[in-house]
Amino acid sequence: MSNSNFTRRGVLRTGAVTAGGLALPTILTAASHSGYTNAPSGGTVTLGFNVPQTGPYADEGADELRAYELAVEHLNGEGDGGMLSTFSSKALEGTGINGMKVEYVTGDTQTKSDAARASAKSMIEKDGAIMITGGSSSGVAVAVQGLCQEAGVIFMAGLTHSNDTTGKDKKANGFRHFFNAYMSAAALAPVLEKLYGSDRKAYHLTADYTWGWTQEESIASATEAMGWETVEKVKTPLAATDFSSYIAPVLNSGADVLVLNHYGGNMVNSLTNAVQFGLREKQVNGKNFEIVVPLYSRLMAKGAGENVKGIHGSTNWHWSLQDEGSKAFVKSFGTKYGFPPSQAAHTCYVQTLLYADAVQRAGSFNPCAVVEALEGYEFDGLGNGPTLYRAEDHQCFKDVLVVRGKENPTSEFDLLEVVEVTPRAQVEYAPDHPMFAGGQLGSCNPGA
């Protein structure tokens, strides 16, 4: 890792830009601004990796950082190249980005919006970072995305699942590869109805910030549409570690399903408390009591241990997928670190490649050139099948996985099994869907 000087200078380009053989003259216009924030000088370019190294999502952050380091290696022509060989775009050749060696700096978001903005600001102003990426909290993602819009740099969101990130808080300089709460609900609801029926009473425990709110809204809406009754919705602090006082009232609520709108360490602790209270052995309303975790990860499953067996949820990606891109990434990551990557690692690795590819195809680091190269961009070979970066809101659309905790895992990493690959068409929605209303994408900001 190294720091680069905080510099700004204009970059002018000549020659046509092509994508799939089609000339894109508008990119030339975007790349011809008189200046933009942190235009690289010399032979290197600096990226800023802003991840939770402390706080309730620190496990996710550690895996994100591993993936970022691997992506930099591959971009610079080191290692086996990973997904560069499976990516449908062949613009990247392992020679850096636009011929410049990739360097990086890191920051600790602490899973706090103010800390995340401060570390991102430092990386932009002191280290000359031209792109910021990372985060495992939607509150952090929304805060840093707003900062990057103001500063004139691109934000490639890491793990952020709130509808708001590409909904009311969307920004022209921000892009999300990860799926969202609406997509989780759209994928999960039909599976839950098939498994547990349409006559259920659900009790929600919800992390009290933007992700939890939109996850609760999404899953409640989808399950109520199929006949479930929502008995109660209770918000819990993000900093909570003991959820016993929140679990106890569930026992006398009449609910026969507990929905844990929790992630990371929150989910590990709340699920553990729920099992300790004997919820999984109970019968209510003549039915076996069930627990649902709308957003799952392998790291959470590992933390919760035996408690995840048979519990359903959704995930953006899983290391057991057998497409060529996923296999290439799992091989690279496993060779370097000795264990398979999480969904957080996957989305962060992919976002780094997508940014580099957009710069390479545009022939410029100018944020407006990058925006135009990514808007409406369709690609494949990075896991999840054919994927679209929608122009209207900068949200990726791709297949979504429904998973459950394995009853008989074969290793400490073999904890989740994919029970359904939900096709992209089932989780798509209109850009003006009510759950995503209220914000304006605005225009790209090149900064200087």
Side-chain angles (χ1 to χ4, degrees):
M1 295 182 292
S2 66
N3 296 349
S4 63
N5 294 325
F6 180 59
T7 60
R8 290 189 175 103
R9 65 180 177 84
V11 172
L12 297 177
R13 298 171 46 244
T14 58
V17 177
T18 62
L22 297 176
L24 300 176
T26 53
I27 293 178
L28 183 61
T29 301
S32 300
H33 285 278
S34 58
Y36 56 93
T37 301
N38 291 345
S41 59
T44 64
V45 62
T46 302
L47 308 182
F49 300 151
N50 204 23
V51 304
Q53 299 183 49
T54 55
Y57 295 168
D59 284 349
E60 309 286 337
D63 225 33
E64 289 180 332
L65 200 52
R66 294 182 191 107
Y68 285 134
E69 292 172 353
L70 185 63
V72 169
E73 285 184 13
H74 291 166
L75 289 173
N76 286 333
E78 302 165 14
D80 64 6
M83 282 180 162
L84 291 188
S85 63
T86 63
F87 189 11
S88 57
S89 172
K90 302 305 175 187
L92 297 169
E93 299 176 340
T95 55
I97 308 176
N98 272 1
M100 295 187 178
K101 183 179 179 181
V102 182
E103 298 183 341
Y104 65 91
V105 290
T106 66
D108 180 10
T109 69
Q110 303 174 39
T111 323
K112 297 176 181 176
S113 296
D114 289 346
R117 280 180 66 99
S119 61
K121 190 171 189 289
S122 176
M123 287 189 282
I124 294 167
E125 295 184 353
K126 295 181 180 178
D127 301 316
I130 198 166
M131 182 272 277
I132 301 294
T133 178
S136 284
S137 153
S138 290
V140 162
V142 166
V144 175
Q145 181 168 259
L147 173 78
C148 289
Q149 181 69 35
E150 296 162 9
V153 301
I154 293 292
F155 177 62
M156 300 296 284
L159 197 159
T160 169
H161 194 241
S162 170
N163 292 339
D164 293 346
T165 307
T166 47
K168 71 179 183 65
D169 294 309
K170 60 182 174 283
K171 296 285 186 269
N173 282 36
F175 290 84
R176 170 164 59 181
H177 170 264
F178 205 67
F179 71 150
N180 58 44
Y182 175 92
M183 295 175 180
S184 282
L188 261 179
V191 176
L192 296 178
E193 182 177 22
K194 186 164 41 177
L195 287 169
Y196 307 139
S198 57
D199 181 22
R200 284 284 185 165
K201 299 181 185 298
Y203 192 111
H204 289 254
L205 289 182
T206 301
D208 193 12
Y209 75 107
T210 178
W211 168 68
W213 306 331
T214 67
Q215 181 60 84
E216 177 189 272
E217 178 188 25
S218 298
I219 197 76
S221 175
T223 53
E224 287 169 7
M226 68 191 194
W228 288 24
E229 176 188 345
T230 302
V231 173
E232 191 65 77
K233 298 176 178 177
V234 177
K235 305 294 188 290
T236 62
L238 183 58
T241 55
D242 185 350
F243 292 86
S244 301
S245 61
Y246 296 100
I247 299 294
V250 178
L251 297 167
N252 301 312
S253 67
D256 47 46
V257 177
L258 173 61
V259 181
L260 293 176
N261 299 301
H262 288 157
Y263 196 74
N266 285 169
M267 173 272 186
V268 170
N269 293 325
S270 63
L271 177 60
T272 299
N273 289 154
V275 172
Q276 289 170 342
F277 271 81
L279 285 183
R280 300 200 69 182
E281 283 74 50
K282 290 195 174 295
Q283 277 212 335
V284 180
N285 305 323
K287 306 176 181 71
N288 291 334
F289 195 97
E290 304 292 349
I291 301 175
V292 177
V293 178
L295 180 59
Y296 238 141
S297 83
R298 178 185 64 77
L299 297 175
M300 289 157 55
K302 182 179 180 182
E306 295 276 319
N307 299 329
V308 303
K309 291 185 174 182
I311 289 183
H312 286 76
S314 70
T315 191
N316 187 67
W317 176 87
H318 192 256
W319 66 269
S320 66
L321 291 175
Q322 291 302 298
D323 62 278
E324 292 305 310
S326 294
K327 289 195 293 185
F329 178 54
V330 170
K331 179 176 179 288
S332 293
F333 192 98
T335 298
K336 184 173 176 64
Y337 299 112
F339 49 84
S342 64
Q343 64 171 355
H346 171 256
T347 203
C348 288
Y349 177 92
V350 168
Q351 282 284 72
T352 309
L353 262 56
L354 286 169
Y355 170 78
D357 175 72
V359 171
Q360 194 82 16
R361 288 186 292 111
S364 172
F365 288 96
N366 188 302
C368 294
V370 174
V371 167
E372 290 172 11
L374 282 174
E375 284 186 341
Y377 184 48
E378 298 205 58
F379 58 90
D380 202 350
L382 298 181
N384 302 99
T387 304
L388 166 70
Y389 242 133
R390 186 160 68 180
E392 290 87 348
D393 51 11
H394 297 183
Q395 172 67 54
C396 267
F397 288 90
K398 55 193 182 302
D399 295 347
V400 170
L401 307 180
V402 176
V403 295
R404 70 175 165 231
K406 259 194 170 180
E407 295 289 352
N408 298 297
T410 58
S411 74
E412 62 177 309
F413 309 111
D414 181 38
L415 304 176
L416 298 176
E417 59 185 339
V418 178
V419 297
E420 186 164 309
V421 178
T422 306
R424 171 174 141 186
Q426 187 177 316
V427 302
E428 289 177 333
Y429 53 88
D432 61 351
H433 187 284
M435 287 187 188
F436 297 83
Q440 295 293 325
L441 193 64
S443 302
C444 75
N445 177 22

